[in-house]
Amino acid sequence: MPTFTAPVKDMQFVLHDVLQTSTQDVPGYEDLDRDFTAAILEEAGKISTDVFAPLNAVGDQQGVTLENGVVRTPEGFKAAFDQFREGGWTGLDCDPEYGGQGLPYLLSTATGEIFSAANMAFMMYPGLTHGAYSAIHAHGSDEQKQTYLPKMVTCEWTGTMNLTEPHCGTDLGLMRTKAEPQDDGSYKITGQKIFISAGDHDMSDNVIHLVLAKIPGGPEGIKGVSLFIVPKFIVKDDNTPGERNAVSVGKIEEKMGIHGNATCVMNYDGAVGYLLGEEHKGMRAMFTMMNEARLGVAMQGLSQATVAYENALAYAKDRLQGRAITGAENPDGPADPLIVHPDIRRSLMDQKSFIEGARAFGLWSASLIDRSHRNGDAEAEGLVSLMTPVLKGFLTDQGFDMTVLAQQVYGGHGYIEEWGMSQFTRDARITMIYEGANGVQALDLVGRKLAAGGGKPAMAFFEEIKSFIKANSDDEDLKANFMEPLKTASKQLQEAAMFFMQQGMKNPNEALAGSYDFMHLFGHVCLGYMWARMAVAAKSALDGGAEDRDFYESKLATGRYYMARRLPACAMHVARITSGAAPVMALDAANF
Ligand SMILES: Cc1cc2nc3c(=O)[nH]c(=O)nc-3n(C[C@H](O)[C@H](O)[C@H](O)COP(=O)(O)OP(=O)(O)OC[C@H]3O[C@@H](n4cnc5c(N)ncnc54)[C@H](O)[C@@H]3O)c2cc1C
């Protein structure tokens, strides 16, 4: 069975050597010194290794059941959930006014990767609750905040997000669920939502559904959508769960992965709902939840790559097959371990260089979110908004690919359930689909984010890279192996953006046909930038006489690999983009 050990050392490197967190001018960061973050990450790692990881296969095998209207989670989930709550993990970055610990988002992003790597399906219950908490925190009335937030911070009550209906997923303007105003100010919610994660379960006292619905007579399409709080049990005046609301689980979906999470069909039969935010401004309110959720899903994609790689690495060192082409490395044994073979090395280096680059990208983005929330920094907000579809699309696509590579290291054993590698691949697959399928992320990036704010965030990003390269090109190794490749890739990204600007105006298909490549091109440039930053930090640690020389030398070697072997994908993407829409749109639908 697979095991999991939290990558605390690598996280510490990103937090302190690269981002230099505790010296950043962000309120709350002054407390995040090395000892403090090490203590939190190690504790998160301990409960993950000891409690959550062993339940991962249990959740996969047992799944969730629906018995007489009651949803039952797999054996051990409830006890683990109680332990998670009692440890205070659910409110790590929540507002102290409602019982949270008020720690920066950066820290909960790091612990999020750890927890999800151990058990992604399990972590979705508190994950969705956190998203719902954020939406109520940002858009709720004082009364709504007082009623729901303290219980959601502790996960005594969990949360869900209800957008999808059978006939509409991406195109939410087609939504049919309706909300009829009542004399007492509440609404009567009627309709069916499908695929609702953590829709119901037996681990909390109440479930607070956030439901998108249309108020009859409102504007057509997406402009007529409003957001409602619909509790499973209507909350009484003394703030305890009371009468059962008219919401029920119609079915639990059978699915490819994340079996431990309850993916529910939810039926609303005139359920009592309360408007959250303003009428017809539901998408705005929901986006608070979705942007946060998208970085969370990006970290899920990374997390599955992380745990799959850890196990593949151990297997590659243990499994004896064949001899090294350059001479036996294990002459006393019947064969050499897999890790001697260059092709296995290639696979492991692809995984390692992606994972460490993606981790830095995720944590850097989380620090931008803190900067935007805690300092009111508009530039950071613009940058993170631009990065959100890149994070979600690129990290989940590549994260999934890495789980496949890890599975391949096991040969046939990777395909056999007993080894547990197939679960990582199956679980990772959903991250490419939910929270907006990745094709739609690419559309968002090219259609909205690139030109948002007059293109200022994109320009700021290019400028940041340019000045970083300028400031770090004195060292010959850094210049040749990091700064020059980054400069080339950044130019390719700008070339693609320019192509969209010039051609997209004339024919939007020119931009949309290249949008997916653009998302990946952008992702590679971001990881290239992260690797260049990590290389500078590693070099500086070595020059400063750091003790753990192997760690920093390995960092540099892994970075050189990314720049030499992964970043050149940018040239392919830009060639595909500038070939335009014609090759993509050439066939009539009938000729496919
Ligand atoms: C396990 C699971 C859990 C989920 N959890 C939740 C949840 O908690 N809450 C919730 O509300 N929903 C949830 N979903 C729903 C999920 O978010 C949707 O499935 C997803 O947004 C896609 O919608 P769809 O399935 O209707 O696909 P469609 O919208 O029909 O899209 C089909 C394909 O077409 C592409 N496409 C669609 N429109 C365009 C376009 N304009 N241009 C280019 N390509 C396009 C998409 O990228 C996609 O690949 C979950 C789904 C699953 C499977």
Side-chain angles (χ1 to χ4, degrees):
M1 267 297 133
T3 55
F4 172 64
T5 308
V8 174
K9 190 170 184 179
D10 197 54
M11 288 181 167
Q12 287 282 87
F13 168 73
V14 177
L15 291 178
H16 301 291
D17 291 296
V18 183
L19 299 178
Q20 303 190 342
T21 304
S22 58
T23 61
Q24 272 196 41
D25 175 26
V26 179
Y29 275 29
E30 65 281 1
D31 297 329
L32 303 187
D33 60 26
R34 277 184 193 268
D35 289 346
F36 181 76
T37 58
I40 301 262
L41 297 176
E42 270 157 22
E43 270 312 301
K46 194 168 177 323
I47 191 172
S48 295
T49 302
D50 297 347
V51 182
F52 306 144
L55 286 175
N56 201 34
V58 176
D60 189 48
Q61 284 152 16
Q62 291 186 5
V64 173
T65 52
L66 178 63
E67 293 162 21
N68 303 323
V70 178
V71 178
R72 305 234 177 262
T73 50
E75 238 172 280
F77 266 42
K78 168 118 179 57
F81 199 62
D82 288 344
Q83 209 174 327
F84 187 65
R85 290 177 33 217
E86 283 154 18
W89 294 108
T90 55
L92 205 66
D93 63 354
C94 295
D95 189 342
E97 197 180 330
Y98 304 103
Q101 299 185 44
L103 286 166
Y105 189 60
L106 177 62
L107 205 56
S108 62
T109 303
T111 55
E113 186 200 331
I114 295 176
F115 294 138
S116 283
N119 196 327
M120 181 172 139
F122 174 83
M123 272 312 293
M124 287 171 68
Y125 295 96
L128 281 143
T129 309
H130 193 284
Y133 155 89
S134 296
I136 297 175
H137 191 265
H139 303 283
S141 64
D142 281 346
E143 192 191 338
Q144 287 172 335
K145 290 186 201 177
Q146 293 300 342
T147 304
Y148 299 104
L149 295 186
K151 302 278 191 193
M152 294 177 82
V153 165
T154 57
C155 273
E156 283 163 89
W157 300 353
T158 57
T160 69
M161 61 192 278
N162 292 236
L163 295 83
T164 310
E165 297 182 8
H167 61 286
C168 78
T170 303
D171 190 355
L172 291 169
L174 300 173
M175 186 172 295
R176 288 189 194 136
T177 299
K178 63 177 181 193
E180 296 161 296
Q182 305 297 299
D183 292 342
D184 64 358
S186 70
Y187 293 76
K188 202 180 244 189
I189 313 290
T190 308
Q192 187 178 66
K193 296 286 179 180
I194 62 165
F195 302 163
I196 304 309
S197 297
D200 200 4
H201 54 89
D202 53 1
M203 302 192 295
S204 69
D205 300 335
N206 206 351
V207 182
I208 311 303
H209 303 287
L210 295 196
V211 183
L212 283 178
K214 283 185 173 173
I215 300 169
E220 288 294 308
I222 201 72
K223 293 203 170 111
V225 168
S226 307
L227 185 59
F228 298 88
I229 300 176
V230 185
K232 175 177 167 185
F233 294 103
I234 295 168
V235 180
K236 292 192 289 192
D237 289 344
D238 65 358
N239 238 27
T240 58
E243 191 189 329
R244 177 79 203 232
N245 206 350
V247 47
S248 58
V249 177
K251 180 184 164 200
I252 305 237
E253 302 290 357
E254 291 286 334
K255 54 196 190 290
M256 175 178 175
I258 53 166
H259 294 155
N261 196 268
T263 307
C264 302
V265 170
M266 303 299 305
N267 294 323
Y268 294 89
D269 300 307
V272 177
Y274 310 99
L275 184 68
L276 177 59
E278 293 173 51
E279 278 191 359
H280 315 311
K281 299 271 166 62
M283 286 314 289
R284 220 185 98 213
M286 199 52 133
F287 263 109
T288 305
M289 200 165 160
M290 276 157 58
N291 280 335
E292 174 187 311
R294 282 176 184 170
L295 175 56
V297 173
M299 296 311 278
Q300 284 184 334
L302 164 62
S303 75
Q304 296 311 288
T306 299
V307 65
Y309 166 69
E310 262 187 30
N311 286 281
L313 176 62
Y315 192 80
K317 287 179 177 175
D318 187 56
R319 170 84 168 167
L320 304 181
Q321 287 296 293
R323 286 290 182 198
I325 194 95
T326 48
E329 294 199 11
N330 177 33
D332 298 335
D336 285 339
L338 287 175
I339 198 164
V340 303
H341 304 303
D343 189 55
I344 293 285
R345 292 294 188 114
R346 178 229 10 121
S347 166
L348 293 172
M349 286 301 276
D350 275 357
Q351 295 170 58
K352 182 174 166 61
S353 65
F354 164 74
I355 288 164
E356 293 176 14
R359 179 170 298 130
F361 184 26
L363 294 177
W364 173 61
S365 304
S367 76
L368 292 175
I369 292 180
D370 279 331
R371 201 163 264 289
S372 130
H373 288 172
R374 292 176 177 239
N375 298 44
D377 182 334
E379 195 175 308
E381 188 184 348
L383 205 49
V384 87
S385 168
L386 172 69
M387 294 300 167
T388 299
V390 183
L391 284 157
K392 194 312 185 159
F394 185 69
L395 296 199
T396 61
D397 274 2
Q398 298 259 311
F400 172 77
D401 287 352
M402 297 306 152
T403 66
V404 174
L405 286 182
Q407 193 181 22
Q408 189 79 3
V409 169
Y410 278 69
H413 301 274
Y415 199 70
I416 303 298
E417 291 295 342
E418 188 187 332
W419 287 86
M421 295 304 283
S422 119
Q423 187 187 349
F424 302 135
T425 307
R426 289 185 287 100
D427 285 359
R429 185 66 182 87
I430 187 58
T431 64
M432 298 155 74
I433 299 170
Y434 60 18
E435 281 313 327
N438 284 357
V440 176
Q441 299 298 328
L443 211 65
D444 180 41
L445 175 65
V446 171
R448 288 179 56 226
K449 300 294 175 63
L450 193 58
K456 261 196 197 158
M459 295 309 291
F461 180 61
F462 296 139
E463 275 310 309
E464 181 169 332
I465 290 186
K466 200 168 146 194
S467 28
F468 176 80
I469 292 174
K470 200 166 165 216
N472 292 287
S473 290
D474 289 345
D475 180 289
E476 276 312 310
D477 174 29
L478 287 179
K479 185 174 176 202
N481 292 309
F482 292 92
M483 303 308 153
E484 290 296 340
L486 177 60
K487 194 173 179 180
T488 304
S490 172
K491 280 197 176 143
Q492 284 160 336
L493 183 61
Q494 291 176 61
E495 187 191 331
M498 192 55 78
F499 176 83
F500 289 155
M501 262 175 237
Q502 288 167 348
Q503 305 299 322
M505 290 290 195
K506 289 183 237 159
N507 174 7
N509 279 347
E510 296 286 345
L512 298 191
S515 60
Y516 212 90
D517 280 283
F518 189 73
M519 181 172 76
H520 276 249
L521 171 54
F522 212 134
H524 276 298
V525 171
C526 290
L527 260 61
Y529 176 42
M530 291 300 115
W531 268 116
R533 287 184 65 169
M534 289 195 280
V536 170
K539 197 113 204 167
S540 145
L542 285 167
D543 292 347
E547 278 176 22
D548 195 352
R549 302 195 76 75
D550 279 354
F551 176 83
Y552 293 107
E553 296 284 9
S554 304
K555 250 315 153 199
L556 284 165
T558 310
R560 286 187 203 105
Y561 180 92
Y562 194 88
M563 303 313 262
R565 303 258 321 193
R566 306 283 301 168
L567 200 61
C570 293
M572 178 196 72
H573 289 304
V574 83
R576 289 166 61 135
I577 290 165
T578 52
S579 75
V584 176
M585 304 302 283
L587 296 185
D588 284 338
N591 292 332
F592 270 86

